Amino acid sequence: MRITVRSAALLLLVAVPLAAQSRLPVRGKHAMVASVDVIASRIGADVMKRGGNAVDAAVAVAFSLAVTWPEAGNLGGGGFMLVRTADGKSVAIDYREVAPAAATRNMYLDAEGKVTKDSTLGYRASGVPGTVAGLALVHKRYGKLPWRTLVEPARKLAADGFVVSEYLARSFKATEAQRMKQFPESWRIYGDRKMGDRLVQPELAAVLARIANDPSDFYRGVTAKRIVQAMKEHGGIITAEDLASYKPAVRTPLHGTYRGYEIVSMPPPSSGGIALIEMLNMLEPYDLKSMGWHSSEHVHTMVEVMRRAYADRAQFLGDPDFARVPVTALISKPYAAKRRADIDPAKATKVEAGDPTPYESPSTTHFSVADKDGMLVSNTYTLNDSFGSAVTISGFLMNDEMDDFASRPGTPNLYGLVQGEANAIQPRKRPLSSMTPTFVLKDGKPFLVAGSPGGGTIINTVLQVIVNIVDFGMNAQQAVDAPRFHHQWLPDEIGWEAFEFPRDTWDALVKMGHTFHAIPGLVSSKIPGSIGDAECIAFDANGDRLGASDGRRGGTAVGW
């Protein structure tokens, strides 16, 4: 839908001036956690106060969010974690879900070749979960405190209950409620919850108690048997062998540069690191600051870069264990120069996927952690859709991550993202992701830990936070709070937050040929007007940790 200048006047007021965004980052001398939930952030900070490191805190936060943030915090999903040790070495932990062995290329197509709802709802929508295995692996490699100690706060939260927040109550009543009603156990636990209610989850507490004793219970023990039984009874395809054979992968992070800063981000099967570095490479020659923040020139330049990177994402990216992904080419400066060459400063251009061959050598949640010794963690994990597949087994929700595959290459998924042959369904394959856990370094020292949820908007959220800080001199909290926009190539339209653009910027962009999504934010969020939920930590010249948690979903940074 094209919004005319006249209709735009009905939707837009004025952009929120930066001067009005007066929140300051939370300052901590020693350590910091930034997450969407204050309870989880406090638990993580307390772990570090008791001698734990950033990985210990991350494990405790992840399990706590599985209790307090059920729309995305999880046991039944998966994700990606970047770790930077105190000696400056970075590693990527890929605990993404994998397709069950019985998965087939066309399993979500009906007799007419149309994509069914089975990839987003019910027992057939789930990939094999990776969260518990991923957390266990990273703890074994880098943790200091006993595993049981880190799981216990979450178990106690589930057993004793916690008070439902306003956001969580609204989330229960949103469109997910209609999905959850189709599954009695999910509706029993989460249905009709109101702000101020105490949510007690004894079944989840029992699962967490077993995991605290032995994390392999989720894959080979009592919990695994219950998952398999539920799948058999309801037409799911995850088997005991699928669970027992699951393994997280340890990968090498991607590295790029932008205006003298080093960018460290997630490699495939996440598309986040590649697209982020590709966009920063394309932006580097432009003097964004002189354009003026969110002027039509600035927004047009950013949107044209976004369109090109997301076109390449659709064409080339998938699980590198199954498809040849031209990583080196896509993040190279020469390839960015080629992609940038046909950007017209005066109008929107037609965009197709590029050819990287000549440059090649052969609802989710995020939290950030920094400890006193300089260890960093950037973690994004998810159930995919809010509350995943809407299926609850033994008190925890299962993912609907199979929708992140291309059920039919070229057909949009849940988030409107078009994906190519490299991301077609295959057994044991990991689906493509947009998760973008990222570190930014300056002179080899930590400068920013960043990440966000938001489906296809994640990459652009992280991009804008970095540009806001590096190019426009915002502090971390201003950069996180600032209004955001989004373009993902297809659909060919700008997603935007309410009060995002001043009228003259809007008018100029329409004249350039840009199309705006009809409702602010809806292209990227179930909450109109909201794009992403960045949870970041910056570092000042003295080394203090500056927590910047997004207010869009009520996040809180806690430090000491």
Side-chain angles (χ1 to χ4, degrees), residues 107-178:
M107 63 185 290
Y108 299 119
L109 302 184
D110 63 17
E112 298 177 354
K114 296 179 180 178
V115 179
T116 69
K117 68 178 182 179
D118 287 358
S119 68
T120 60
L121 183 70
Y123 292 82
R124 296 181 72 239
S126 296
V128 181
T131 293
V132 176
L135 297 177
L137 172 65
V138 76
H139 175 262
K140 182 177 181 180
R141 289 175 66 114
Y142 303 108
K144 289 173 60 179
L145 298 184
W147 171 261
R148 181 186 295 275
T149 302
L150 305 177
V151 183
E152 173 58 20
R155 186 211 62 77
K156 183 172 172 52
L157 267 176
D160 296 346
F162 67 96
V163 176
V164 174
S165 68
E166 179 182 4
Y167 179 90
L168 190 54
R170 283 194 286 126
S171 185
F172 287 145
K173 292 182 180 298
T175 55
E176 289 79 13
Q178 298 306 314

Side-chain angles (χ1 to χ4, degrees), residues 47-364:
V47 163
M48 290 186 286
K49 279 185 181 180
R50 293 187 285 114
N53 60 22
V55 163
D56 292 324
V59 170
V61 170
F63 279 118
S64 297
L65 288 172
V67 179
T68 62
W69 201 254
E71 72 171 64
N74 70 84
L75 303 181
F80 300 99
M81 180 184 290
L82 278 186
V83 177
R84 187 174 192 267
T85 56
D87 61 2
K89 297 177 182 177
S90 295
V91 66
I93 307 298
D94 169 3
Y95 59 97
R96 182 71 158 152
E97 304 90 337
V98 301
T104 60
R105 176 186 176 88
N106 297 324
M107 63 185 290
Y108 299 119
L109 302 184
D110 63 17
E112 298 177 354
K114 296 179 180 178
V115 179
T116 69
K117 68 178 182 179
D118 287 358
S119 68
T120 60
L121 183 70
Y123 292 82
R124 296 181 72 239
S126 296
V128 181
T131 293
V132 176
L135 297 177
L137 172 65
V138 76
H139 175 262
K140 182 177 181 180
R141 289 175 66 114
Y142 303 108
K144 289 173 60 179
L145 298 184
W147 171 261
R148 181 186 295 275
T149 302
L150 305 177
V151 183
E152 173 58 20
R155 186 211 62 77
K156 183 172 172 52
L157 267 176
D160 296 346
F162 67 96
V163 176
V164 174
S165 68
E166 179 182 4
Y167 179 90
L168 190 54
R170 283 194 286 126
S171 185
F172 287 145
K173 292 182 180 298
T175 55
E176 289 79 13
Q178 298 306 314
R179 301 168 72 241
M180 307 275 273
K181 282 181 179 178
Q182 300 178 54
F183 303 94
E185 184 68 0
S186 298
W187 187 248
R188 179 184 68 81
I189 296 171
Y190 303 111
D192 201 28
R193 297 288 181 174
K194 301 178 179 62
M195 183 177 69
D197 287 352
R198 178 166 290 274
L199 179 57
V200 180
Q201 302 170 79
E203 297 89 357
L204 178 56
V207 173
L208 287 166
R210 292 194 294 271
I211 289 171
N213 185 57
D214 180 4
S216 70
D217 170 78
F218 193 90
Y219 297 94
R220 297 179 180 86
V222 172
T223 304
K225 291 177 181 177
R226 292 181 180 176
I227 293 172
V228 172
Q229 180 181 356
M231 289 288 164
K232 286 181 178 178
E233 291 176 353
H234 298 280
I237 61 172
I238 294 177
T239 66
E241 200 277 330
D242 286 326
L243 290 165
S245 63
Y246 179 86
K247 287 182 174 59
V250 178
R251 303 190 187 274
T252 302
L254 301 182
H255 292 261
T257 60
Y258 182 66
R259 305 197 196 285
Y261 294 84
E262 182 181 358
I263 310 298
V264 184
S265 197
M266 200 72 203
S270 173
S271 63
I274 285 179
L276 175 66
I277 293 171
E278 183 182 353
M279 288 190 287
L280 290 171
N281 285 344
M282 282 189 273
L283 287 172
E284 196 164 34
Y286 293 101
D287 186 354
L288 299 180
K289 185 176 182 179
S290 70
M291 296 178 183
W293 185 78
H294 282 202
S295 66
S296 58
E297 186 180 7
H298 170 224
V299 175
H300 170 72
T301 303
M302 296 280 287
V303 163
E304 290 298 284
V305 163
M306 291 173 181
R307 294 171 74 212
R308 284 158 176 78
Y310 275 78
D312 286 349
R313 177 195 187 278
Q315 180 68 29
F316 301 114
L317 297 188
D319 185 342
D321 296 333
F322 287 77
R324 182 178 177 275
V325 181
V327 176
T328 304
L330 290 168
I331 65 174
S332 72
K333 302 283 187 181
Y335 181 67
K338 179 182 179 182
R339 293 297 272 147
R340 183 176 57 241
D342 63 353
I343 293 178
D344 188 327
K347 65 180 181 180
T349 54
K350 182 179 180 180
V351 174
E352 302 291 345
D355 178 12
T357 305
Y359 306 93
E360 176 68 7
S361 298
S363 235
T364 304

Side-chain angles (χ1 to χ4, degrees), residues 455-489:
T457 71
I458 292 173
I459 311 166
N460 286 336
T461 296
V462 175
L463 172 72
Q464 288 170 85
V465 169
I466 292 172
V467 167
N468 286 346
I469 294 173
V470 172
D471 290 281
F472 294 100
M474 299 184 196
N475 68 43
Q477 193 63 63
Q478 288 174 323
V480 165
D481 288 344
R484 294 193 273 263
F485 56 92
H486 171 72
H487 203 299
Q488 61 184 41
W489 181 51

Side-chain angles (χ1 to χ4, degrees), residues 435-455:
M435 290 182 268
T436 316
T438 298
F439 301 143
V440 180
L441 311 175
K442 180 65 172 176
D443 299 324
K445 297 179 180 179
F447 178 79
L448 181 69
V449 184
S452 174

